[in-house]
């Protein structure tokens, strides 16, 4: 069934940053399956983004790929321009782009901290600013936080700090959009089996993280995409919240 904009009776449109891989790609495919036209935003290699578009189209959906550095105001504005030119507007923004560089606070290279801050914090601010200006009435903005802000795992200090900033921006933007009928929420995944999460982790560490949840497994991208789908569609009374999708870890 096609998801339509109630005001114009046209298909709803989603912009998904980080949509070429990991949770972002699965979220893009889920939203396309929900009937939204999807703009898959990527920052580097176009091949995975085109693969995501092809997968969506093969499943009967509609999508395009657009390159944009989420921390670059001009490129993000052009991303939204492309969405509006191709599909007529933007109803949903899922900001899944982000990086995670781990080390204890005393050992983390400040260049890595600055890189995470640029992408995770400035990127959320830049994308959020365009979303606040462009998303149509009845729309939704979904940011990506992390359960590590509560779990407080060693070596995650800098990464968790960037996601704490995402939480603050999410809660405040929801109030700043008063009267617009636009919801703003964040999804905070727990340990999830993605390349980003599993990279460099010894098997013993992965086993420990697996057992943290009462469900005794890692999350999957599909688990997180289900929450994104809920916030992007039927969850009109959920607003200004950080939803912890972590299988009960906290």
């Amino acid at each position: 069934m096609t998801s339509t904009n109630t005001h114009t009776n046209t298909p709803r449109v989603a912009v998904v940053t980080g949509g070429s891989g990991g949770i972002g790609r699965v979220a893009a495919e889920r939203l396309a399956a929900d009937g939204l036209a999807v703009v898959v935003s990527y920052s580097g290699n176009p091949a995975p983004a085109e693969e995501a578009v092809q997968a969506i189209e093969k499943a009967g959906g509609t999508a395009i790929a657009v390159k944009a550095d989420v921390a670059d105001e001009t490129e993000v504005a052009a991303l939204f321009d492309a969405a509006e030119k191709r599909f007529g507007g933007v109803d949903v923004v899922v900001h899944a782009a982000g990086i995670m560089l781990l080390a204890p606070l005393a050992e983390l290279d400040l260049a890595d901290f600055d890189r995470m801050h640029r992408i995770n914090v400035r990127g959320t601010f830049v994308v959020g600013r365009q979303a606040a200006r462009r998303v149509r009435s009845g729309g939704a903005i979904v940011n990506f936080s992390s359960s590590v802000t509560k779990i407080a795992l060693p070596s995650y200090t800098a990464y968790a700090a960037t996601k704490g900033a995402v939480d603050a921006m999410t809660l405040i933007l929801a109030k700043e959009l008063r009267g617009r009928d636009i919801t703003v929420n964040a999804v905070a995944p727990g340990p999830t089996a993605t390349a980003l999460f599993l990279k460099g982790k010894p098997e013993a560490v992965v086993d420990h993280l697996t057992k943290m949840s009462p469900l005794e497994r890692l999350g999957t991208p599909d688990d997180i995409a289900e929450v994104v789908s809920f916030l992007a569609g039927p969850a009109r009374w959920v607003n200004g919240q950080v939803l912890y999708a972590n299988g009960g870890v906290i």
Side-chain angles (χ1 to χ4, degrees):
M1 178 182 294
T2 300
S3 176
T4 58
N5 185 304
T6 57
H7 300 285
T8 63
N9 202 35
T10 59
R12 299 177 79 222
V13 180
V15 171
V16 182
T17 69
S20 63
I23 293 172
R25 173 167 174 172
V26 177
E29 292 179 354
R30 172 60 185 265
L31 292 177
D34 290 342
L36 284 78
V38 178
V39 178
V40 176
S41 173
Y42 67 99
S43 62
N45 184 359
E50 292 298 339
E51 289 173 3
V53 169
Q54 291 171 12
I56 288 171
E57 292 178 340
K58 185 177 180 180
T62 303
I64 60 171
V66 178
K67 183 176 181 179
D69 174 355
V70 294
D72 186 300
E73 183 177 14
T74 300
E75 292 191 15
V76 172
L79 167 65
F80 279 76
D81 287 343
E84 291 176 348
K85 181 178 180 180
R86 176 64 176 82
F87 297 119
V90 177
D91 301 286
V92 174
V93 174
V94 177
H95 180 48
I99 62 169
M100 180 171 63
L101 305 171
L102 303 180
L105 185 149
E107 300 172 15
L108 182 73
D109 191 311
L110 282 176
D112 287 342
F113 179 83
D114 290 342
R115 184 179 169 206
M116 274 194 291
H117 188 277
R118 181 181 184 277
I119 296 174
N120 296 358
V121 180
R122 179 185 169 96
T124 300
F125 189 93
V126 171
V127 171
R129 178 155 63 172
Q130 287 297 321
R133 295 171 177 174
R134 310 256 200 144
V135 169
R136 296 185 285 205
S137 176
I141 300 169
V142 182
N143 289 325
F144 263 74
S145 179
S146 171
S147 289
V148 78
T149 59
K150 301 294 185 183
I151 300 172
L153 293 172
S155 298
Y156 283 77
T157 312
Y159 177 73
T162 68
K163 293 305 184 176
V166 171
D167 290 354
M169 285 187 276
T170 299
L171 304 187
I172 295 171
L173 182 57
K175 294 183 178 180
E176 291 179 345
L177 296 185
R178 173 181 293 274
R180 295 271 304 278
D181 189 23
I182 297 170
T183 62
V184 186
N185 295 287
V187 180
T192 306
T194 65
L196 174 70
F197 177 79
L198 295 173
K199 183 179 180 180
K201 289 183 172 65
E203 185 177 347
V205 172
V206 174
D207 288 343
H208 170 71
L209 294 169
T210 299
K211 294 174 182 176
M212 289 178 68
S213 166
L215 300 177
E216 296 189 337
R217 68 173 177 86
L218 294 176
T220 68
D222 285 325
D223 291 325
I224 311 307
E226 183 174 26
V227 180
V228 172
S229 173
F230 172 66
L231 293 175
R236 300 311 303 164
W237 198 234
V238 180
N239 190 29
Q241 305 297 318
V242 179
L243 271 65
Y244 294 91
N246 56 36
V249 171
I250 54 173

